[in-house]
Amino acid sequence: MLVQYMKKPKADDDDDDDAIVSSSGWLNLCHRETVRHNSNIFQGCDVSLHRLLQSPYSLTVNIPCPPVVTTPEAGAAGNSTEDTLKIPDDQFGPKIMCSEQYRVISINSRFSFPFGNPCLKEFIAGHCFDEGFLVPRIVHYVWFTNHSLDVYTFISVLSAYRFLNPCLILVHADLLPTGVYWRALRLLVPLIVHVQRQPPARVFGKLLGFVQHQADIARLEALREYGGIYLDADQIILKNLDKFRKMEFVMGHESPKNLANSLLISAPHAKFIDVWYQHYRTYSAREWGIHSTFLPFALSRKFPSMITNAGYAFVKPDLPAVGDVWIGHYDWSRNYAIHLYTRSVANWSLFPTQHTLESLVRLNASLGEIARYILFGDKHSCSRCHLNDSECGHYQ
């Protein structure tokens, strides 16, 4: 049982089995002798996606670097590099091979498995658990409906890839996202696996009233099935979470009276997950947030031995104060993670949310610091960009 990373099919006249043809937009394999978790990812201040994709971002030993995207012809009317990013026909990503007793089922592409597939479970059991840890090095996202991946989810996945050292990143989705940031992720992060499933329509016979409630159920089912770390699409990782992987189930506060389900850490079939899920028998589609955040807080007080409370390490500031992150200077140095609340912030229309990667890097606010920290490994990268404090955040 092994994981392979796809490369361009070898031509008949290729001399080297490991060669990748640069002229067709692929780099030669650049195997590394050491893991590059804390290296600066990008050189200089040019963080356009074309420049980004030319910068090696491989965190695993003996994994080929992402392919370079060919620049469009200069002066082509209406074309930008970002508009023309393409994933090679032979998709770059993991191909999971399992023992002969399991048949690999592939849906639409080589990196896709149906939810509950025994081959995927076998691979996780054999490769993604570390001695002394209860929680596997698996990251989960749940993305339902057809949508274009935004820059905040792009940063979220890069943050998980950089700081969590995942074995796999599982995207539970009916439809994969579209857009330039999704195509860039496919090239930059070689560990993404699509777990294909439909949004759950009911729980204990009760119709789930919102897609967010469907995602609430799907994240519990994903963690119960595989274990790992679940992240909302706008949850940003700022530090390694290994200290929490030694515990069976972990949540953190959003407010004093609830627990946030935007970051969950769980062993497979954790007792708290089972109890929480069973309490969805009392679910009502008329209620918002009751079963997803207030219920787990109540259960944590009733069954304290089943859960570790991480305090405010994952979600701080909470929603009423999140403007301090978007347009202010919040001290996030003690956070293990931070939640951006992008959907709520966009609905408020109180400050700009239509950022690009370039504008985030130059943003004079905590959000800009976080973006620079994820991309450069340093929130104080303004001098390298030749920007002064009025143009780029430099919070001490």
Side-chain angles (χ1 to χ4, degrees), residues 209-368:
F210 302 90
V211 68
Q212 291 85 0
H213 293 179
Q214 294 173 331
D216 290 340
I217 293 297
R219 74 192 66 182
L220 295 183
E221 292 176 347
L223 291 175
R224 184 174 61 183
E225 182 80 3
Y226 303 108
I229 299 173
Y230 167 82
L231 300 176
D232 269 3
D234 57 351
Q235 183 81 37
I236 310 298
I237 299 298
L238 301 172
K239 295 179 182 177
N240 184 274
L241 300 178
D242 278 356
K243 64 179 284 187
F244 299 106
R245 291 177 50 233
K246 296 182 179 181
M247 306 156 188
E248 185 176 81
F249 188 81
V250 184
M251 291 182 76
H253 274 288
E254 180 180 37
S255 71
K257 296 298 183 181
N258 75 350
L259 295 175
N261 71 341
S262 59
L263 194 162
L264 305 172
I265 303 173
S266 180
H269 298 283
K271 293 185 290 293
F272 192 88
I273 288 276
D274 291 336
V275 171
W276 185 1
Y277 195 92
Q278 288 297 319
H279 276 74
Y280 265 87
R281 295 178 184 276
T282 62
Y283 166 81
S284 170
R286 296 188 299 271
E287 298 173 337
W288 183 267
I290 298 300
H291 282 72
S292 58
T293 65
F294 292 98
L295 174 61
F297 174 70
L299 294 176
S300 72
R301 296 169 66 87
K302 185 176 181 180
F303 304 104
S305 64
M306 295 183 184
I307 182 173
T308 298
N309 189 326
Y312 292 91
F314 302 154
V315 179
K316 191 177 181 181
D318 63 358
L319 180 57
V322 76
D324 292 343
V325 174
W326 284 79
I327 59 175
H329 288 104
Y330 175 78
D331 181 5
W332 46 272
S333 60
R334 297 182 181 179
N335 286 48
Y336 280 85
I338 200 162
H339 193 198
L340 299 182
Y341 295 99
T342 54
R343 182 169 55 86
S344 297
V345 168
N347 290 338
W348 292 347
S349 301
L350 296 179
F351 34 85
T353 59
Q354 299 300 315
H355 283 291
T356 65
L357 199 62
E358 293 85 347
S359 67
L360 279 182
V361 166
R362 290 164 171 80
L363 183 64
N364 185 5
S366 292
L367 181 57

Side-chain angles (χ1 to χ4, degrees), residues 126-143:
H127 292 270
C128 301
F129 283 87
D130 301 317
E131 185 176 355
F133 292 84
L134 298 176
V135 177
R137 286 185 294 108
I138 301 293
V139 173
H140 300 269
Y141 289 93
V142 174
W143 301 336

Side-chain angles (χ1 to χ4, degrees), residues 139-262:
V139 173
H140 300 269
Y141 289 93
V142 174
W143 301 336
F144 291 139
T145 72
N146 186 21
H147 69 285
S148 177
L149 194 87
D150 62 33
V151 67
Y152 309 109
T153 306
F154 179 76
I155 293 292
S156 173
V157 177
L158 287 185
S159 74
Y161 186 40
R162 178 164 194 158
F163 295 116
L164 299 184
N165 187 28
C167 173
L168 293 174
I169 296 176
L170 303 185
V171 174
H172 302 257
D174 51 348
L175 300 170
L176 287 173
T178 59
V180 64
Y181 290 113
W182 170 245
R183 295 195 294 272
L185 273 182
R186 291 294 316 283
L187 298 175
L188 289 170
V189 181
L191 304 175
I192 295 174
V193 171
H194 175 208
V195 178
Q196 189 180 61
R197 64 163 301 169
Q198 295 299 310
R202 297 177 179 273
V203 59
F204 295 110
K206 297 182 178 182
L207 188 68
L208 293 166
F210 302 90
V211 68
Q212 291 85 0
H213 293 179
Q214 294 173 331
D216 290 340
I217 293 297
R219 74 192 66 182
L220 295 183
E221 292 176 347
L223 291 175
R224 184 174 61 183
E225 182 80 3
Y226 303 108
I229 299 173
Y230 167 82
L231 300 176
D232 269 3
D234 57 351
Q235 183 81 37
I236 310 298
I237 299 298
L238 301 172
K239 295 179 182 177
N240 184 274
L241 300 178
D242 278 356
K243 64 179 284 187
F244 299 106
R245 291 177 50 233
K246 296 182 179 181
M247 306 156 188
E248 185 176 81
F249 188 81
V250 184
M251 291 182 76
H253 274 288
E254 180 180 37
S255 71
K257 296 298 183 181
N258 75 350
L259 295 175
N261 71 341
S262 59

